[in-house]
Amino acid sequence: MKRIVILISGRGSNMRTIAERCAAEGWPARVAAVVSNRPEAEGLGIASALGIPALAVDHREHASRDAFDAALARAIDAYAPDLVVLAGFMRILGADFVRRYEGRLLNIHPSLLPAFPGLHTHRRALEAGCKAVGATVHFVTPELDHGPIVIQAVAPVYAGDDETRLAARVAASEHLIYPLAVRWFVEGRLAIEQGRVRQLDGASQVLI
Ligand code: NHR
Ligand code: GAR
């Protein structure tokens, strides 16, 4: 059984979807813990209700980014994870942290990378007049939102969309692709070759 630790900062809807699908579909894995950098994150209560150990490592209680990263890594390593999943985790992680979990650290970003790395993706896509947007699951590298892409989902932009409506539509796509990507990982169906991800069964890595 592979052990998964999920990092969150807020609502935890991606975390919930992954935890529920893992249990319902009998993946060869279990969510060993959920860790938030914000003690008030709604997702911590959701994880507890699902019977998953839920804890906070508050970034505000650490003097530097490196000190926070080290405390976070200690908390994570107590659960000996095979995979660490960023699901709406909102703190940039340093190179030492990323290297420690290299090849077993996934993120979901609410844009079609390499477009719009960083924050406020929906606002920026609307300002750019994009007619299609989406979400990307990628392996995390030290350079923000630049790691090898596992799967992408495309979502339409409609006239009259605002950030809230667009975010909700993209979130629905996220809930389709993130469980799939995590399942592929724990089933050993992903290979990184020359910085690109190949799904070993030849399954489609885009959802339109
Ligand atoms: N860390 C590394 N090294 N590489 C990535 O690809 C990472 C990462 C940490 C988080 C998620 C992310 C995203 O999908 C992620 C990917 C936070 C920020 C940010 O600017 C940017 C990207 C992402 C998460 N955070 C501010 C900071 O100063 C704080 C913002 C806040 O607390 O609301 O860390 O886009
Ligand atoms: C998701 O839309 C995720 O893509 C985004 O935050 C939301 C978290 O929702 N992530 C980022 O913006 C990372 N910078 P959730 O807590 O309900 O899963």
Side-chain angles (χ1 to χ4, degrees):
M1 287 290 262
K2 295 268 166 42
R3 301 167 59 81
I4 305 170
V5 168
I6 305 183
L7 307 188
I8 63 168
S9 294
R11 186 175 57 178
S13 69
N14 279 288
M15 175 277 297
R16 177 206 288 266
T17 313
I18 291 164
E20 288 180 345
R21 292 275 295 276
C22 180
E25 295 174 3
W27 302 356
R30 67 188 185 86
V31 180
V34 170
V35 184
S36 172
N37 65 304
R38 295 188 178 276
E40 68 277 15
E42 231 183 296
L44 287 176
I46 296 171
S48 295
L50 292 170
I52 300 166
L55 54 138
V57 178
D58 191 339
H59 64 277
R60 291 160 293 198
E61 289 180 0
H62 297 275
S64 67
R65 283 185 180 267
D66 284 350
F68 167 68
D69 283 5
L72 183 61
R74 275 195 300 277
I76 292 169
D77 288 349
Y79 295 92
D82 300 287
L83 173 66
V84 177
V85 171
L86 309 185
F89 182 73
M90 296 307 290
R91 297 300 293 177
I92 295 173
L93 297 160
D96 286 348
F97 181 98
V98 172
R99 270 189 228 109
R100 183 182 193 86
Y101 303 105
E102 194 169 10
R104 53 190 179 111
L105 183 56
L106 289 173
N107 179 44
I108 192 159
H109 182 71
S111 80
L112 288 176
L113 291 172
F116 310 120
L119 301 177
H120 312 299
T121 54
H122 304 303
R123 185 194 308 167
R124 288 154 66 204
L126 288 168
E127 280 169 4
C130 293
K131 308 308 177 208
V133 294
T136 303
V137 178
H138 65 94
F139 283 97
V140 175
T141 58
E143 191 181 354
L144 189 67
D145 295 331
H146 272 73
I149 292 172
V150 177
I151 185 169
Q152 294 186 300
V154 179
V157 181
Y158 296 125
D161 272 352
D162 58 14
E163 264 185 86
T164 307
R165 274 173 51 159
L166 195 54
R169 194 173 307 122
V170 171
S173 297
E174 293 180 29
H175 299 158
L176 299 175
I177 59 171
Y178 215 176
L180 199 53
V182 173
R183 183 173 184 169
W184 284 343
F185 183 94
V186 299
E187 292 184 345
R189 296 170 192 273
L190 297 176
I192 305 179
E193 296 165 350
Q194 285 139 8
R196 291 186 282 268
V197 181
R198 188 160 68 88
Q199 209 287 350
L200 294 171
D201 307 313
S204 174
Q205 290 173 252
V206 61
L207 191 137
I208 299 177

